[in-house]
Every structure is written in structure tokens, then in C-alpha cells.
Amino acid sequence: MKISIITATYNCAHLIEECLRSVAEQTAIDKIEHIIVDGGSTDKTLSTISQYPHVAKVYSAPDRGIYHAFNRGVELASGDIIYFLGADDSLYEKSCIETVVDAFECEEIDYLITKVRCFDEVSGEVWHVNTEMSDEANICHQGFFCRSSLFEKIGPFSECFQLCADSFFMKKAIARFHGIHIDTTSANFRQGGASSSSASRLLLKREANAVAQLLGETTPSKQVQLDKNVIDLKLLLDKVLSKKEPLAIYSGMKIGVFGTRQLSITIANALRQQGAIVACFLQTTQVSVNEITGVPVKSIEEAYELGLSLVINGIEGEHESTISKVLREKLEGMKVISWRDM
């Protein structure tokens, strides 16, 4: 069984080496067909690619956008499995493709979903998505592998969308065909691309709603939750700024902040400005990064060793109450509060 990994490129010589190296170092390299679909780069992208002999096919010509490039890649692919890896992303570990191919060989499935490690180099934020099979609203293509036959059954990516054609395709696949979720991480997904930039959020929301309507869904519940969280954050900011001495009560306290996303980082920065000692960020899962903004990242099990006075749950959204319950159970005798109660 062979897997075609399709990477779309355009003037990304400064980023693509990590992507290429992560594929070249795979233990299952003999089962990989790496296809590069380039939009007509004018920098050193193509010369950089030429230094990696594992690349099977390179196609370079102007295109109409990312989904046109993806569709070109599917047309060039000869693998049994199709996967899209961004030029600025990388495979998570050397055995991840071997794990995926083994799963397809053992299971009668049309698609497979893995976890994806997301990171933001500017903020230091790190988090995982695709953590649950039921979390369809948050599936990203860096963790989606499918049989090539699905493109014959569903059709190519729709170029009517600028940001959500992959989401539309994956949701149709999940609704109509059989797949599984495996507890492994396939890729490192770098934030800051077209779909993750702040300038694209309005378009992303509009296209997500369009996808939901085309599939006969209601407005995505995750977007409703996100909108609610924005309101909550504004209320928190108003509460903090209205105090005569914002967060002064935490001065000198040794605090752990649960979470590694932007809200947790913002909380930690605010606490440090008021003289609090932020000893660590906490995670329930295996720690995948050593530190963020100079603060170490630890597992919940390590919290007692640090002599913390307080743990603040920095998670917002549907998992917030569940995380608070887990923290109170695992950190019995330690004070735990929500960011909403600061």
C-alpha cells in the first residue's frame, strides 16, 4: 500500500525544508510518494526541493489558489491513500506514516483521523486538535488521511471556497463513509497561514456557515461557543481594569496556569506583571513542549512537586467545566479556580 503526500508550495524556500526533511526521514519512506504542486515560485523553493531525492513528482505552474493546487496533486497521485501536508508544516515523528499505513492495511476504512499538534511561534501557544472523533467541527486536514477512491465518490475540492473546501470535503466523507480515529499525532501545524490569520476570520466564519447550510446542519455550535467566549473575555478585561489594583491579590503567590493556548498565556503575563510567580503551565496530556514564554510546561502529576499556592484553569469553551473537575480531583487539597473567577 502506498500513500501520496501532496504539498502545495509558493515562494516558501525559507519554510519548506522542515517539511521535506520530516517526510524524507519517515521509517515508511518506501511507501511514500511525495508530490510537490508549486504555484510558479520565483524564489529558491524549487531548487531547495531538488535537493531532496525522495520527492517523486514536482509540478510547477500558476494556479487559482490552494484548492486548485490540491486538486492538481490528486490528479498526479498514484497512491492508495491521499494526505495533504502544508509547506510550512511537518510530520510529527518518524514513524507516523508507518502507523497510518498499518491502520489502513488492518481496517476496512475510507478515512482515518489523527491528532494534530498546533503551534504559534509568535505567542508560544501550543495545543492539539482532532482529539476526539466526535469533534467534527474542529477537524483539520493535517490529521485527515483518506483513500484515493473517495475523490472519485465525492469529487474534487470545491474552488467556490477560499478557506473551507477541505472542511466541506472531510465533513461529507465523515457523514457518508466509514472511518476511524487513532490516538496518534501526525503533524505539526504552524499557525499564521491563510485560514488562521486574524484577517481571514470573518471569511472563515462565513464559509463555515455556508458549509453547515450545504450539509443541512445548523450554525456550528463551536462558533456559537467562540462568540460567547469573546464576550466572557471582554467581561474579564472590564473586571480587571475596573479594579483599583488589578490582580494585586495574587502578588507573591506561586501559581500554575492550566492550558497552553493564548488565554492561558495572557493570564500568565498579567499575573507576572502584578508580581505573581507563575511557576508553570499545566497539561493533562503528555507534555509536548518544554516551556512557553520562559515558563516551564508540566503535567498535572508534577504540580505537587512545585509547591503551588493556586492553580488557575485557563481553558474556555465546552471542555472548561470538565477540566476544572479533573483539576480538583487530581489536585486534592490545592486551591483551583477558573479564569472567570479571577
Side-chain angles (χ1 to χ4, degrees):
M1 181 171 283
K2 182 166 66 175
I3 178 170
S4 296
I5 298 178
I6 298 168
T7 300
T9 62
Y10 181 71
N11 287 348
C12 55
H14 60 299
L15 290 172
I16 196 173
E17 283 216 66
E18 188 175 356
C19 168
L20 294 167
R21 193 181 305 114
S22 75
V23 177
E25 294 177 349
Q26 288 297 300
T27 55
I29 189 63
D30 59 322
K31 297 181 179 180
I32 295 173
E33 174 188 57
H34 198 180
I35 300 172
I36 306 295
V37 183
D38 182 72
S41 293
T42 56
D43 66 353
K44 296 182 179 180
T45 296
L46 294 175
S47 62
T48 300
I49 293 168
S50 68
Q51 297 171 29
Y52 287 82
H54 80 275
V55 175
K57 300 174 184 177
V58 179
Y59 180 95
S60 183
D63 56 47
R64 295 187 295 270
I66 185 69
Y67 297 119
H68 184 205
F70 279 4
N71 287 334
R72 279 178 169 173
V74 172
E75 291 173 1
L76 292 168
S78 61
D80 307 285
I81 306 165
I82 301 290
Y83 176 64
F84 299 92
L85 182 66
D88 54 348
D89 304 326
S90 62
L91 295 173
Y92 185 70
E93 55 188 2
K94 295 180 181 180
S95 62
C96 66
I97 295 300
E98 183 177 0
T99 300
V100 168
V101 172
D102 286 348
F104 271 97
E105 289 178 338
C106 294
E107 300 270 359
E108 288 294 325
I109 52 175
D110 296 293
Y111 65 88
L112 179 149
I113 295 170
T114 70
K115 293 186 290 187
V116 175
R117 175 183 175 271
C118 303
F119 66 99
D120 189 319
E121 288 182 324
V122 176
S123 69
E125 213 178 343
V126 180
W127 68 101
H128 284 76
V129 296
N130 298 8
T131 54
E132 299 176 14
M133 185 68 165
S134 60
D135 194 15
E136 295 177 13
N138 204 31
I139 300 294
C140 68
H141 75 249
Q142 288 83 357
F144 186 86
F145 299 77
C146 71
R147 292 192 187 274
S148 57
S149 57
L150 270 193
F151 284 92
E152 298 171 8
K153 298 172 182 177
I154 295 176
F157 290 113
S158 171
E159 291 185 48
C160 294
F161 294 103
Q162 295 181 47
L163 300 175
C164 287
D166 52 343
S167 177
F168 190 33
F169 180 92
M170 291 186 292
K171 285 194 169 191
K172 285 195 286 187
I174 292 169
R176 301 177 189 176
F177 301 97
H178 175 57
I180 60 172
H181 180 284
I182 60 174
D183 189 23
T184 190
T185 302
S186 61
N188 297 297
F189 176 25
R190 186 191 307 270
Q191 295 294 285
S195 63
S196 57
S197 68
S198 57
S200 299
R201 285 175 187 164
L202 181 58
L203 176 60
L204 185 62
K205 182 176 180 180
R206 287 174 177 168
E207 290 197 359
N209 288 337
V211 166
Q213 290 177 3
L214 287 169
L215 296 175
E217 301 173 353
T218 57
T219 300
S221 60
K222 185 170 290 293
Q223 184 61 53
V224 173
Q225 183 63 53
L226 286 172
D227 290 343
K228 180 180 181 298
N229 290 339
V230 170
I231 295 171
D232 287 339
L233 284 168
K234 289 178 179 178
L235 291 173
L236 174 63
L237 179 61
D238 180 66
K239 184 167 68 173
V240 169
L241 294 178
S242 65
K243 292 181 179 180
K244 292 182 179 179
E245 297 181 20
L247 306 182
I249 60 170
Y250 301 107
S251 179
M253 293 179 66
K254 195 171 187 181
I255 299 173
V257 180
F258 185 88
T260 56
R261 297 203 62 177
Q262 188 58 57
L263 177 58
S264 300
I265 295 170
T266 300
I267 290 169
N269 289 337
L271 289 169
R272 286 192 288 183
Q273 288 178 7
Q274 294 300 318
I277 302 166
V278 179
C280 64
F281 290 105
L282 293 170
Q283 288 187 187
T284 52
T285 55
Q286 180 182 355
V287 175
S288 56
V289 63
N290 293 327
E291 66 174 43
I292 297 174
T293 63
V295 177
V297 179
K298 301 289 185 181
S299 65
I300 292 179
E301 287 72 21
E302 297 174 287
Y304 281 114
E305 303 171 10
L306 300 171
L308 302 177
S309 305
L310 174 70
V311 172
I312 297 174
N313 180 10
I315 299 297
E316 76 275 20
E318 58 186 314
H319 301 300
E320 181 182 344
S321 58
T322 302
I323 292 296
S324 289
K325 183 179 178 181
V326 170
L327 288 172
R328 291 188 175 98
E329 289 175 350
K330 292 195 173 185
L331 301 176
E332 188 176 357
M334 190 176 297
K335 186 177 181 181
V336 177
I337 67 170
S338 167
W339 60 275
R340 301 176 192 275
D341 300 322
M342 292 175 62

